[in-house]
Amino acid sequence: MKSVLVIGMGRFGQHIAMKFEELGNEVMAVDISEEKINEILPKVTSAQIGDCTKEPVLRSIGVGNFDICIVAVGNNFQSSLEITLLLKELGAQKIIAKASRDIHAKFLMRSGADEVIYPEKEMAEKAAVRYNARNVFDYIELTPEYSVFEITPMDSWINKTIEQVAVRTKHHISILATKIGDNIRPLPKPDHVFTHEEHLIVFGRKEDVFKFTKRI
């Protein structure tokens, strides 16, 4: 269990605060808006109204006691930058800041953020890959070169085994799991027989997976 401070209760801030809470962590939510705090209060461990661009507010919270501090302030980059600087000065252990542009990310990193995330950019890229490639149902980028995809098997694979179609040798991708509905079976054996109903969770170079999906 970790202690997490989430500053800024916009849509992203609320979602990440609730998810951390759902995963069994202690979450404190802070926002300048009383309305937003009243909304999130039943869903997190604790919540507080406060302007986190003010040092006394952050000092009173005791930011050094949290394992993770997340700066989820919306479109006000100046406030996000000021809060990140103050968190660093006050001894925050780990600072994760939300950014919408690359130039913002650079300034946030220089100001003390340990990591910067781009929720809108990441969702846009994920959607573009999903809808650009045929038969891609989900996509997680691990590095610029390698990703995990949820795809359908080729028609010619149906009623054949993984060993028979030589997936890794011919297509240079690895099958991590099979999926039917919400039921996932990890690491299928070489004698697994493909069916029309299932999806495949595969890992490989994006270039190789895209080539493969064009053949499906």
Side-chain angles (χ1 to χ4, degrees):
M1 182 178 69
K2 293 183 178 181
S3 56
V4 183
L5 172 65
V6 183
I7 301 170
M9 287 296 107
R11 284 179 296 178
F12 172 74
Q14 288 191 22
H15 283 306
I16 199 166
M18 289 188 294
K19 192 61 181 179
F20 267 113
E21 184 79 22
E22 181 185 323
L23 293 171
N25 301 288
E26 292 186 349
V27 179
M28 181 176 189
V30 183
D31 195 280
I32 198 170
S33 166
E34 181 178 359
E35 181 181 353
K36 290 181 178 179
I37 289 300
N38 288 337
E39 183 179 351
I40 195 67
L41 183 56
K43 305 169 186 176
V44 295
T45 310
S46 61
Q48 178 175 318
I49 302 167
D51 182 357
C52 290
T53 62
K54 309 299 183 184
E55 182 177 340
V57 173
L58 283 181
R59 192 177 292 278
S60 69
I61 293 171
V63 298
N65 297 321
F66 291 91
D67 297 305
I68 303 172
C69 294
I70 299 174
V71 183
V73 176
N75 296 323
N76 191 330
F77 174 64
Q78 182 176 342
S79 293
S80 182
L81 193 62
E82 290 175 3
I83 293 168
T84 301
L85 281 164
L86 286 171
L87 286 171
K88 190 68 175 179
E89 291 176 0
L90 294 173
Q93 297 182 43
K94 185 178 182 66
I95 305 170
I96 301 173
K98 173 181 175 286
S100 56
R101 297 169 58 187
D102 289 340
I103 188 66
H104 291 172
K106 290 180 181 178
F107 279 108
L108 288 166
M109 292 294 287
R110 291 174 184 173
S111 300
D114 298 294
E115 294 182 29
V116 174
I117 51 180
Y118 302 78
E120 292 88 356
K121 180 180 178 181
E122 290 168 3
M123 286 302 298
E125 290 177 351
K126 185 175 182 178
V129 169
R130 177 178 175 183
Y131 294 114
N132 175 68
R134 294 175 54 198
N135 300 300
V136 172
F137 294 88
D138 206 350
Y139 157 80
I140 301 172
E141 182 177 276
L142 302 179
T143 72
E145 188 176 6
Y146 288 92
S147 297
V148 175
F149 293 79
E150 179 182 341
I151 62 175
T152 57
M154 295 178 70
D155 288 339
S156 61
W157 291 6
I158 305 305
N159 297 323
K160 294 181 181 178
T161 66
I162 292 176
E163 187 174 23
Q164 286 175 322
V165 300
V167 179
R168 186 176 298 179
T169 304
K170 291 183 179 179
H171 303 286
H172 310 292
I173 60 176
S174 299
I175 299 177
L176 303 179
T178 61
K179 177 182 177 184
I180 298 179
D182 294 328
N183 185 22
I184 294 179
R185 295 183 177 180
L187 302 175
K189 296 180 179 180
D191 61 357
H192 172 80
V193 178
F194 294 106
T195 68
H196 280 295
E197 296 80 13
E198 67 187 357
H199 288 179
L200 309 176
I201 310 300
V202 304
F203 166 79
R205 293 172 59 214
K206 284 189 280 188
E207 179 182 353
D208 292 327
V209 178
F210 287 147
K211 286 180 181 178
F212 171 75
T213 58
K214 291 178 181 179
R215 302 176 186 176
I216 298 175

